[in-house]
Amino acid sequence: MASETTEWTAHSTEPAGVKDTLVEFLSRKRVLMALTLLPALSLFVIMIVVPVVWTIAASFNSISAFSPEWTWVGLENYRVVLSDPQFGTVLSRSIYFATGSVLLQLVLGTGIALLINRSFKLNSVARAVVMLPYLIPTAIVAYLALWMLNSQWGIINQLLVQAGLINQHIAWLGSPELAMLIIILVNSWKFSIFVTIMVLARLQGIPTGFYEAAQMAGASRFQQFRDITLPNLKGVIFIVLLLRGVWMFNKFDIIWILTGGGPINVTTTAPIYAYKTAFNQYALGRSAAISTILFGMLSVVAALYFYRFDPSKEVRVE
Amino acid sequence: MSQTTSTANSITIDTLRKEFNTPDGTVVAVDSIHIEIGPEEFLTLVGPSGCGKTTTLRCLAGLETPTSGEIRLGNRDVSDLPANKRDFAMMFQNIALYPHMKIIDNIAYPLKVRGVSTQERHEHAKEAAEIMQITDLLNKYPGEVSGGQRQRAALARTVVQNPKAFLMDEPLSDLDAKLKVEIRKEIQRVHQRVKRPTVYVTHDQEEAMTMSDRIAVMNNGGIEQIGTPNELYNEPANLFVAQFIGNPSMNFADGTVETVSTDGVSVSVDERIVDLSLNAEADLSMGDEVVLGFRPETVSLDTAGPGFEGEITLIERIDDRMLATVEGDLGEIRATVSADDPLNVGDVVPISFDTSHIHVFDRDTGEHIASGDRPSTRRAKRGAE
């Protein structure tokens, strides 16, 4: 290290002293650690730690939307939220939405990944097309779906009637029975691709030698999938379940645009409920309490999940 | 049982051809080769990288589809049978144990796909592990054991499969020299035990020479020569085989035939005359351009012969021998001499070679024309006839 430094300064035209001191300063372990960690750390603090702490603090106060005054109310907000029978309902809706979405995305995403992992003509075109939905902003996906599902002019109703599958137009998002199912479907159209990307990356990391060895041992296609592909995907499926589960539980944008929580609240999941509490009822403190409860629940679930599955082991590649 | 299975188990590679389509056009990896492998034979495909030996093996395995030609097991054409239906076991260079399975399950895998119960296949795996001396590793994962142990497990896996034939694709390339010798012995032990046709691919002529019943030397997608290790060493069919087989490799010197008589042939090399007594098949005439080949162990550096000399540029000690590199009239010549010889780098020494062990090749075609007339080969030839 030292010899490198002297060599480097020997070639430079600037006074050796200044550069030497600078290099020496930068070479110090603590300085280097601070400099490399600082950008990420400050971003983390500003984007995550501050809002979280702010929300938790807010949850103990009564806050009106029209005055900057915070009034300390202790656990009152929590008492109100937890005693509200609606809270249990929105929680179960969130779980329903998250579970449905994640399962659908996992099956679709893995299926697509397995398909485009095989080599065929125009494979690269197929890959590019498959990736497209993930590049479209969620809001645009939602508005497109809104138009396609429109009960009067929507193309989906049009096609289904023409195909003779239905007799009259259906108000997909206006029907309390269908609305939740539809938002799960629309949501999965875009986010399955996330699973595809993750699974495809893993699939391509599986050495072909494994499959060849299995073939030589007499393994059929199904046995190769069961004994090689699936075990190798375990780690990535684990991560996908966790990430998608948390993100879907917290999903707000696509639901809000498609249904706004309706009809008659059947798609009001926990995040929508928190939003409505804040901006329809102007109970910012109570909304913060809801968010804090959700945050706590997800933390517990994630911790249990990591404890049970030991991701460092599961994600291990070789 | 042995009678029927043994004939049914011979393998024929019949005019096999394999082309690959690349952006630059069609590349012929294997060009109409024909090999027959006996029911208990250990045959090695050896050659430089890119010679087509691995492609041949992969066609045999069913991992590649031949462009034309047939693979036969006994009298049965298996060319269209997929790899998982051929029941050939294979060892790979990169080992290919499954990292998510314990060693025992890796070894037992061929039985798992046949639907053998867990208990029974673990018993078989333990037996095979005992032969390979890896019983204490059975409950570890491949990532936790050494390269040599992994290759032992891979070998055990092929044994458990009890296949119709063994295919090995450079299984020792990634191991260090000592392990190579060790696992080499294990492979030979397995072969002697199970007596199935074994096709072994390597670029290492030493492995080929020590393990094989017969060797096929490949080059540019074709076979240069097939024969026993002795045949390849003593009667190379051409210059390529002569320089590929044997380590250190054969020395070569260009010459021109001066006179041909009943007594022998004299060849001028670097303006000096070398008198040769060649075997009966020699077909040479005056003015033929030839290459003389002679192995380092037939070179002597202390007796004056036809008058060649050179300066010693390098001395490498190998056990009780020395390999001396001499730069002189014949170009660069390598000689193995006794380590006791008082030779030093810089010495100028006479070079002579035992003409009874000489090989004469056609300089244009590289084909072998004649060998030195040595009593031993003559006797062997007569015995063979």
Side-chain angles (χ1 to χ4, degrees):
Chain A
M1 190 71 211
S3 69
E4 259 181 65
T5 315
T6 44
E7 223 171 83
W8 181 61
T9 45
H11 289 295
S12 81
T13 46
E14 283 185 41
V18 180
K19 244 178 194 167
D20 255 350
T21 332
L22 189 66
V23 168
E24 205 181 298
F25 176 70
L26 287 173
S27 308
R28 263 186 243 159
K29 208 174 166 189
R30 277 162 194 282
V31 175
L32 204 67
M33 265 164 65
L35 281 176
T36 46
L37 278 178
L38 217 58
L41 200 65
S42 46
L43 210 64
F44 180 73
V45 169
I46 295 166
M47 303 296 287
I48 295 175
V49 177
V50 169
V52 167
V53 172
W54 191 89
T55 305
I56 293 174
S59 70
F60 297 108
N61 290 279
S62 172
I63 305 162
S64 150
F66 307 107
S67 115
E69 294 281 312
W70 286 22
T71 322
W72 178 264
V73 293
L75 291 173
E76 176 61 16
N77 284 330
Y78 289 92
R79 196 192 59 75
V80 173
V81 170
L82 292 174
S83 60
D84 179 358
Q86 224 198 327
F87 184 65
T89 317
V90 300
L91 265 189
S92 58
R93 280 191 202 122
S94 258
I95 292 168
Y96 177 62
F97 175 77
T99 314
S101 295
V102 169
L103 286 183
L104 191 62
Q105 290 170 23
L106 199 63
V107 172
L108 277 179
T110 309
I112 294 172
L114 288 170
L115 271 180
I116 59 176
N117 188 42
R118 310 181 58 165
S119 56
F120 53 90
K121 269 193 180 165
L122 300 178
N123 176 294
S124 45
V125 178
R127 276 182 199 203
V129 170
V130 160
M131 297 301 162
L132 275 178
Y134 200 63
L135 303 179
I136 305 172
T138 311
I140 293 177
V141 172
Y143 277 112
L144 275 176
L146 217 48
W147 279 108
M148 289 170 72
L149 292 164
N150 185 289
S151 56
Q152 289 175 38
W153 319 288
I155 190 164
I156 290 176
N157 274 320
Q158 193 74 28
L159 288 174
L160 287 176
V161 167
Q162 272 174 13
L165 292 169
I166 54 175
N167 293 325
Q168 57 185 61
H169 287 185
I170 294 174
W172 302 101
L173 293 167
S175 144
E177 291 83 30
L178 291 174
M180 185 61 115
L181 210 64
I182 297 295
I183 59 170
I184 289 177
L185 282 174
V186 172
N187 185 38
S188 299
W189 182 77
K190 176 178 174 179
F191 290 104
S192 294
I193 304 309
F194 175 84
V195 181
T196 301
I197 293 169
M198 300 273 287
V199 170
L200 190 61
R202 184 66 202 104
L203 281 177
Q204 303 206 315
I206 304 176
T208 49
F210 290 175
Y211 292 103
E212 292 184 343
Q215 281 175 51
M216 295 311 293
S220 65
R221 276 196 166 281
F222 169 73
Q223 285 169 328
Q224 290 171 44
F225 177 77
R226 181 195 65 191
D227 298 328
I228 301 168
T229 312
L230 219 52
N232 272 288
L233 290 182
K234 243 167 75 183
V236 73
I237 287 174
F238 161 85
I239 282 295
V240 161
L241 276 180
L242 179 67
L243 289 179
R244 298 310 318 163
V246 170
W247 288 344
M248 288 305 119
F249 193 83
N250 281 336
K251 198 78 200 150
F252 174 79
D253 46 7
I254 208 160
I255 305 176
W256 186 249
I257 295 169
L258 284 178
T259 63
I264 48 169
N265 283 343
V266 292
T267 58
T268 298
T269 56
I272 303 277
Y273 178 66
Y275 180 87
K276 281 179 172 172
T277 306
F279 299 107
N280 291 357
Q281 301 174 23
Y282 303 113
L284 293 182
R286 188 138 48 89
S287 175
I290 295 170
S291 302
T292 307
I293 294 170
L294 295 180
F295 175 69
M297 284 171 52
L298 286 177
S299 304
V300 171
V301 170
L304 281 177
Y305 203 60
F306 275 103
Y307 175 75
R308 169 73 184 75
F309 289 102
D310 189 6
S312 65
K313 217 174 182 180
E314 295 289 334
V315 179
R316 181 188 57 170
V317 175
E318 224 67 33
Chain B
M1 136 155 187
S2 63
Q3 200 59 37
T4 48
T5 41
S6 66
T7 45
N9 261 356
S10 69
I11 295 174
T12 311
I13 300 172
D14 191 356
T15 51
L16 177 79
R17 184 181 172 87
K18 175 67 184 173
E19 296 168 359
F20 288 106
N21 291 318
T22 67
D24 305 328
T26 306
V27 174
V28 181
V30 178
D31 192 2
S32 305
I33 62 165
H34 189 100
I35 308 176
E36 279 172 38
I37 302 132
E40 295 179 8
E41 191 175 27
F42 194 113
L43 180 115
T44 300
L45 302 175
V46 70
S49 54
C51 71
K53 55 191 190 298
T54 295
T55 308
T56 305
L57 192 78
R58 290 174 61 85
C59 286
L60 204 50
L63 297 172
E64 299 281 358
T65 313
T67 309
S68 64
E70 261 182 24
I71 310 279
R72 282 196 296 274
L73 181 64
N75 294 320
R76 187 167 160 234
D77 179 7
V78 296
S79 312
D80 293 329
L81 217 54
N84 58 359
K85 299 267 166 63
R86 283 193 196 185
D87 197 15
F88 291 171
M90 188 151 168
M91 263 179 100
F92 296 83
Q93 179 179 353
N94 53 13
I95 300 167
L97 291 181
Y98 312 122
H100 56 275
M101 291 184 200
K102 287 179 178 168
I103 297 284
I104 189 166
D105 291 314
N106 265 291
I107 296 175
Y109 188 68
L111 300 178
K112 184 183 178 189
V113 300
R114 285 179 207 168
V116 177
S117 74
T118 311
Q119 195 195 345
E120 196 184 332
R121 61 180 193 251
H122 277 189
E123 265 165 37
H124 282 285
K126 275 178 199 154
E127 268 170 43
E130 249 163 57
I131 303 172
M132 296 305 147
Q133 298 151 34
I134 46 169
T135 36
D136 47 333
L137 306 175
L138 284 173
N139 284 313
K140 292 192 173 170
Y141 286 94
E144 300 167 336
V145 306
S146 71
Q149 291 166 332
R150 264 182 260 171
Q151 209 50 300
R152 275 171 196 269
L155 186 57
R157 180 170 64 182
T158 63
V159 171
V160 159
Q161 191 178 340
N162 190 23
K164 294 201 173 73
F166 289 83
L167 309 178
M168 310 203 171
D169 186 9
E170 309 216 18
L172 307 181
S173 304
D174 290 349
L175 303 179
D176 65 49
K178 214 168 175 179
L179 271 174
K180 258 184 201 174
V181 176
E182 232 175 75
I183 310 285
R184 200 158 82 188
K185 274 190 262 169
E186 298 291 350
I187 292 175
Q188 281 174 293
R189 268 177 50 203
V190 166
H191 176 69
Q192 279 152 16
R193 222 178 129 99
V194 300
K195 297 203 178 354
R196 296 287 153 78
T198 301
V199 182
Y200 188 98
V201 162
T202 181
H203 61 266
D204 182 345
Q205 64 91 28
E206 191 195 322
E207 269 176 33
M209 293 293 276
T210 48
M211 301 174 82
S212 323
D213 294 324
R214 279 194 308 154
I215 299 172
V217 180
M218 291 188 71
N219 186 31
N220 287 329
I223 294 177
E224 298 283 344
Q225 188 176 4
I226 302 185
T228 64
N230 267 338
E231 283 167 354
L232 296 192
Y233 191 82
N234 293 321
E235 300 158 40
N238 51 45
L239 274 173
F240 182 83
V241 176
Q243 60 86 24
F244 195 82
I245 298 291
N247 182 36
S249 56
M250 196 183 268
N251 297 300
F252 298 105
D254 288 349
T256 310
V257 175
E258 289 293 323
T259 60
V260 181
S261 73
T262 45
D263 292 341
V265 177
S266 60
V267 177
S268 74
V269 178
D270 191 39
E271 292 167 5
R272 291 175 188 83
I273 298 295
V274 181
D275 290 314
L276 303 173
S277 162
L278 298 174
N279 57 8
E281 293 115 57
D283 178 23
L284 288 165
S285 45
M286 230 176 79
D288 282 355
E289 308 239 288
V290 296
V291 176
L292 300 184
F294 46 99
R295 297 207 177 269
E297 54 271 26
T298 68
V299 178
S300 101
L301 300 178
D302 49 8
T303 39
F308 302 114
E309 58 175 32
E311 185 188 332
I312 297 178
T313 54
L314 183 69
I315 289 181
E316 295 157 83
R317 190 172 167 132
I318 307 159
D319 302 326
D320 65 332
R321 326 267 306 151
M322 279 192 313
L323 177 63
T325 306
V326 187
E327 201 78 54
D329 303 331
L330 294 170
E332 193 184 87
I333 295 295
R334 315 245 280 165
T336 38
V337 294
S338 164
D340 301 329
D341 283 8
L343 296 172
N344 291 303
V345 172
D347 289 356
V348 175
V349 290
I351 305 167
S352 63
F353 39 86
D354 179 357
T355 52
S356 70
H357 282 86
I358 205 154
H359 297 278
V360 184
F361 301 93
D362 186 309
R363 207 189 298 171
D364 290 332
T365 64
E367 292 302 310
H368 189 268
I369 304 171
S371 310
D373 193 17
R374 74 193 107 128
S376 61
T377 46
R378 215 185 297 156
R379 225 179 296 128
K381 278 261 160 66
R382 216 168 275 146
E385 284 158 12

